[in-house]
Amino acid sequence: MSHEPSSHPEQLSPETIAVAAGRPAREHDAPVNPPIVLSSTYVGTGEVVDGDRAYGRYSNPTWDPLEDTLSQLEGATLPGLVFASGLAAVSAALSLIPVGGVLVMPRHSYQGALVMAQEQSAKGLFTLRCVDIANTDEVIAALTGSGEKAADMLWLESPTNPMLEVADLRVLCRSAQAVGAVVVTDNTFCTPLVQKPLELGSDVVLHSVTKYLAGHSDVILGALITSNPDLRRALHHHRSVHGAIAGPFEAWLALRGLRTLALRVERAGENAVELAQRLNVHDGVDRVLFPGLESDPGHERAKAQMTGFGAIICIEVAGGQEAADALVNAVRLWTPATSLGGVESLIERRRRHANEPDTVPANLLRLSVGVENVEDLWNDLSQALSTATALR
Ligand SMILES: *Cc1c(COP(=O)(O)O)cnc(C)c1O
């Protein structure tokens, strides 16, 4: 290990950790922010031992403060590992499955993770069992194998993207542990400010740092965080030999963005609750998917394991795909674009992607609620809804 978390996470709240962690040592005239270190190699003589930087594919001083901060935020005892993208982190995590093993995965996992798992399983690397992650009995049956081989890995994502189904994380982690399966939880939608998978029993937490953590739609980066030394060693080895490493500038930008995480998550979350309630009673909307609504099937579970509800809302627009497209074309403040988790509000019809499963309705729009003034966001949405409704 080249570096250790720099302060005591148990003494600070997450909002403070996001601001205070990963700072350079307090020496006279030291910079307040870590510098960007641009070097592909490090001076060294003699034998290279564990923890030496040696070469820029193994380690970079600009990753360290970000990896420490992510680790503290997730409540881990070992530094995190940053990757070139969220999907590079997914790739490393899937490599933990032994050849011939079994992966249990939500059928509404992040589409890229699902495609990767399907392709690897089609090559015969492992068996993939896709489940409705909100249906605890179905997931447990897939874990034990019901006569077939038990699972080697449970993939969790909660709420799912884009159906916003909520998994019972505590129960599923315990069930996975009982069959000896490693649990990986994609915590991108929640951030560690809203949900702490390691505390709920997950072995590894995955982030697309691209989204809320970096928060400004200007970086692509991923991360894995674990307190298990064997798993961390395997993941670090995978990163070193497969080469999907973070650029120092991206790592620096992500930490820069992370400093305001608490403010952004809080504002976006408040905006989302308000907009979901208004959309829920709008006659241009057939259905609102958002665990923050009391009527949502995932509401009670979300309250039991999350400290908020995130800031992603999905709506099924009345009038079908055509009305949904009309709405996206009519917004002026919201940006029609894929991705999520930035300060600016984005809106997208998910089925415009050919890979999106057909269990996702064609008229479903995913709204990534940003930090703008909520009335401005609502005014724009409601004028666009009027345009869409006029089509019916
Ligand atoms: C975007 C995303 C990913 C993939 O991350 P990239 O940084 O785009 O590679 C994985 N999981 C979730 C939930 C995501 O939203």
Side-chain angles (χ1 to χ4, degrees):
M1 219 82 35
S2 58
H3 53 105
E4 296 295 332
S6 55
S7 64
H8 306 286
E10 69 279 5
Q11 290 168 9
L12 297 173
S13 56
E15 303 93 299
T16 308
I17 291 170
V19 175
R23 299 284 183 182
R26 295 182 178 214
E27 289 155 5
H28 182 67
D29 276 348
V32 167
N33 291 306
I36 301 177
V37 176
L38 298 170
S39 189
S40 60
T41 189
Y42 302 95
V43 177
T45 52
E47 209 176 313
V48 176
V49 298
D50 207 23
D52 280 2
R53 290 203 189 279
Y55 186 55
R57 194 166 5 84
Y58 311 141
S59 164
N60 181 299
T62 316
W63 300 346
D64 297 355
L66 176 61
E67 294 184 331
D68 286 347
T69 306
L70 292 175
S71 162
Q72 291 186 41
L73 282 172
E74 290 288 0
T77 53
L78 298 171
L81 291 163
V82 293
F83 288 80
S85 66
L87 269 193
V90 170
S91 173
L94 290 180
S95 78
L96 296 172
I97 307 168
V99 171
V102 174
L103 168 66
V104 174
M105 199 176 208
R107 66 182 164 153
H108 292 138
S109 295
Y110 175 73
Q111 185 225 89
L114 203 55
V115 168
M116 195 186 299
Q118 282 162 345
E119 287 181 2
Q120 294 188 0
S121 126
K123 276 191 194 162
L125 288 181
F126 51 75
T127 301
L128 176 63
R129 295 185 190 140
C130 281
V131 291
D132 171 0
I133 206 70
N135 183 338
T136 302
D137 292 340
E138 183 187 331
V139 183
I140 291 175
L143 284 171
T144 59
S146 314
E148 309 277 311
K149 198 177 172 312
D152 296 278
M153 179 178 284
L154 171 62
W155 197 268
L156 289 172
E157 198 180 317
S158 180
T160 58
N161 178 11
M163 297 306 285
L164 299 175
E165 297 134 326
V166 180
D168 190 335
L169 297 183
R170 278 188 193 86
V171 168
L172 295 182
C173 288
R174 228 179 290 131
S175 306
Q177 223 165 38
V179 299
V182 172
V183 184
V184 178
T185 305
D186 185 335
N187 204 27
T188 301
F189 268 36
C190 286
T191 84
L193 294 186
V194 171
Q195 182 167 273
K196 293 269 197 58
L198 296 181
E199 285 176 7
L200 297 167
S202 184
D203 297 296
V204 180
V205 174
L206 183 147
H207 280 284
S208 169
V209 177
T210 311
K211 314 295 169 50
Y212 290 100
L213 298 181
H216 295 75
S217 306
D218 51 11
V219 169
I220 290 197
L221 213 60
L224 292 171
I225 300 118
T226 180
S227 294
N228 179 317
D230 295 334
L231 294 179
R232 190 184 186 282
R233 203 172 300 117
L235 296 167
H236 181 267
H237 177 78
H238 187 277
R239 182 178 70 179
S240 299
V241 303
H242 288 252
I245 59 161
F249 186 53
E250 281 73 11
W252 185 89
L253 267 180
L255 185 62
R256 167 80 149 82
L258 199 52
R259 298 303 187 199
T260 55
L261 180 69
L263 297 171
R264 291 185 283 105
V265 165
E266 189 181 315
R267 169 66 84 87
E270 285 166 10
N271 284 354
V273 168
E274 185 61 33
L275 294 177
Q277 281 165 354
R278 296 187 192 184
L279 288 163
N280 205 29
V281 294
H282 195 288
D283 65 6
V285 177
D286 281 346
R287 189 157 77 113
V288 178
L289 314 181
F290 181 64
L293 290 174
E294 271 175 40
S295 54
D296 191 272
H299 183 66
E300 289 307 318
R301 247 182 220 169
K303 275 205 304 190
Q305 63 194 23
M306 296 159 72
T307 55
F309 301 105
I312 307 293
I313 303 172
C314 289
I315 59 174
E316 288 176 36
V317 182
Q321 176 177 332
E322 208 184 323
D325 281 334
L327 196 161
V328 171
N329 287 325
V331 288
R332 295 286 168 264
L333 174 60
W334 292 72
T335 303
T338 196
S339 197
L340 55 104
V343 287
E344 66 292 311
S345 295
L346 304 179
I347 188 165
E348 179 185 38
R349 192 173 71 79
R350 285 301 298 170
R351 284 281 295 281
R352 77 193 184 95
H353 299 279
N355 283 336
E356 196 74 357
D358 57 13
T359 45
V360 174
N363 63 337
L364 180 137
L365 299 182
R366 187 181 70 192
L367 282 64
S368 172
V369 178
V371 302
E372 302 93 334
N373 179 285
V374 72
E375 297 304 333
D376 291 338
L377 290 175
W378 175 248
N379 290 341
D380 189 40
L381 265 188
S382 62
Q383 67 79 21
L385 273 162
S386 307
T387 307
T389 308
L391 276 184
R392 285 193 284 156

